[in-house]
Amino acid sequence: MMEQFIQDYMTMLKVERNLARNSLESYKRDLTQYHQFLESGLNIKTIKNVTLGHIRSYIRQLNDRGMAANSIKRAVSSIRTYHNFLVAEGHMQDNPAQLLDTPKVPKKLPNVLTIQEIDQILSIIPDKEPMARRDLAIYEMMYSCGLRVTELCDFKTRDILWDSEMIRVKGKGDKQRFVPIGPIARENLKNYLNHERPSLADKNPNVPEVFLSRNGRKLSRMMIWILLKKWSEAAGIQKEVSPPTLRHSFATHLLEGGADLRSVQV
């Protein structure tokens, strides 16, 4: 009888929610294992007898088996929504999984590059190659100004405040902040603006963003990632490097240099 409940639930997911095949298979696998534990491990023959304590026993068993936190989190979600379905269908009065705690999955912090590794990446970008001035300006600014990739993509020519040696950045929630831009980043930015951007802008004159693709369009987030991967691999960096890695390295190096934590959290 309990197996029929799973079949009914699968039918509902397929018809009403139009879930992908892989998602349906994951749900079915999670719930089949759950039912096997209830019947074989706890000798429960009817779903009405399942309590919160029984479900917690099952989650402990998954943890004891060494299952990854993400997989346990998915199993908890499957069980909770399954019991919601059983309540809606009149097979149970209450959902015993409603108060079940969802396991917290630890957040993985981005790798931190050393200052020497940052220099390796920046120095590997050749001076004379086409688009090299652009790439050098991009990654020098991302690191030395601590920019998010979206902030870099949205950065416009009017946001450069040469006289005050600052840039204006539009961050999360459209909040603006002013960030100092150091002499090396300024020099690289000027080189790009003077020698590369004019020919790119000719292909698409109305684009206000600073950093442009070969066809004169605003540079995409994905392209920033791809180019960084290209140059970090060329520099022989073994760590996994992404735009958040540069920002995290910027913050780490500031703190190591004695900066106040609140000044870094922007």
Side-chain angles (χ1 to χ4, degrees):
M1 181 63 180
M2 292 218 293
E3 287 75 12
Q4 185 60 47
F5 292 152
I6 295 181
Q7 291 303 322
D8 293 344
Y9 183 56
M10 291 298 104
T11 301
M12 185 276 293
L13 290 178
K14 187 174 182 179
V15 173
E16 296 186 15
R17 298 196 187 176
N18 196 29
L19 291 186
R21 180 180 169 185
N22 287 346
S23 297
L24 289 171
E25 289 176 354
S26 295
Y27 269 106
K28 187 171 183 179
R29 184 170 55 251
D30 287 339
L31 294 175
T32 299
Q33 291 175 358
Y34 171 56
H35 270 237
Q36 287 172 349
F37 177 80
L38 293 177
E39 294 177 9
S40 302
L42 300 178
N43 199 31
I44 293 175
K45 302 303 181 186
T46 173
I47 202 74
K48 290 181 179 180
N49 293 338
V50 175
T51 66
L52 177 60
H54 296 144
I55 302 174
R56 281 179 172 158
S57 295
Y58 176 64
I59 300 305
R60 278 196 298 272
Q61 186 236 24
L62 295 181
N63 189 62
D64 291 343
R65 280 167 39 195
M67 182 178 279
N70 270 321
S71 298
I72 294 177
K73 185 177 179 180
R74 190 196 67 219
V76 168
S77 177
S78 298
I79 291 168
R80 186 181 288 121
T81 53
Y82 172 60
H83 278 285
N84 278 337
F85 166 77
L86 295 175
V87 171
E89 292 294 305
H91 300 302
M92 302 187 73
Q93 285 191 336
D94 301 298
N95 182 350
Q98 201 61 52
L99 298 177
L100 192 63
D101 295 328
T102 302
K104 287 189 170 52
V105 180
K107 290 184 179 179
K108 184 181 178 183
L109 291 174
N111 288 320
V112 176
L113 297 172
T114 64
I115 293 174
Q116 291 74 22
E117 287 170 331
I118 295 284
D119 286 340
Q120 279 178 246
I121 295 173
L122 295 175
S123 62
I124 203 69
I125 302 175
D127 294 335
K128 303 286 168 71
E129 264 198 28
M131 314 304 289
R133 288 189 179 96
R134 180 199 66 183
D135 294 356
L136 193 56
I138 284 172
Y139 297 113
E140 177 65 47
M141 279 189 65
M142 288 191 76
Y143 168 65
S144 64
C145 298
L147 301 185
R148 299 179 178 90
V149 64
T150 303
E151 295 169 348
L152 190 284
C153 291
D154 292 341
F155 183 58
K156 296 176 176 59
T157 52
R158 64 173 178 265
D159 295 322
I160 307 169
L161 311 175
W162 294 113
D163 291 343
S164 56
E165 299 180 351
M166 305 275 281
I167 59 172
R168 181 172 46 231
V169 179
K170 187 168 75 171
K172 290 183 177 180
D174 287 340
K175 291 182 180 178
Q176 288 192 350
R177 68 182 190 276
F178 293 89
V179 180
I181 177 169
I184 297 175
R186 285 201 308 275
E187 181 183 352
N188 288 325
L189 183 57
K190 283 180 180 177
N191 282 338
Y192 162 67
L193 290 172
N194 292 335
H195 298 102
E196 279 189 352
R197 192 180 186 280
S199 61
L200 299 175
D202 285 343
K203 301 171 185 175
N204 217 337
N206 297 321
V207 178
E209 284 78 19
V210 170
F211 295 107
L212 306 177
S213 65
R214 290 178 185 273
N215 57 17
R217 295 175 183 168
K218 171 185 171 181
L219 209 58
S220 69
R221 297 172 72 254
M222 182 56 66
M223 186 53 66
I224 300 288
W225 282 68
I226 291 170
L227 289 170
L228 181 57
K229 182 177 175 62
K230 168 188 169 182
W231 293 124
S232 60
E233 287 180 353
I237 305 299
Q238 300 298 313
K239 297 173 182 175
E240 187 176 333
V241 181
S242 67
T245 310
L246 294 182
R247 179 172 161 81
H248 196 64
S249 301
F250 155 80
T252 300
H253 297 160
L254 276 186
L255 291 172
E256 288 174 349
D260 178 70
L261 182 60
R262 287 189 177 274
S263 68
V264 177
Q265 292 175 331
V266 292

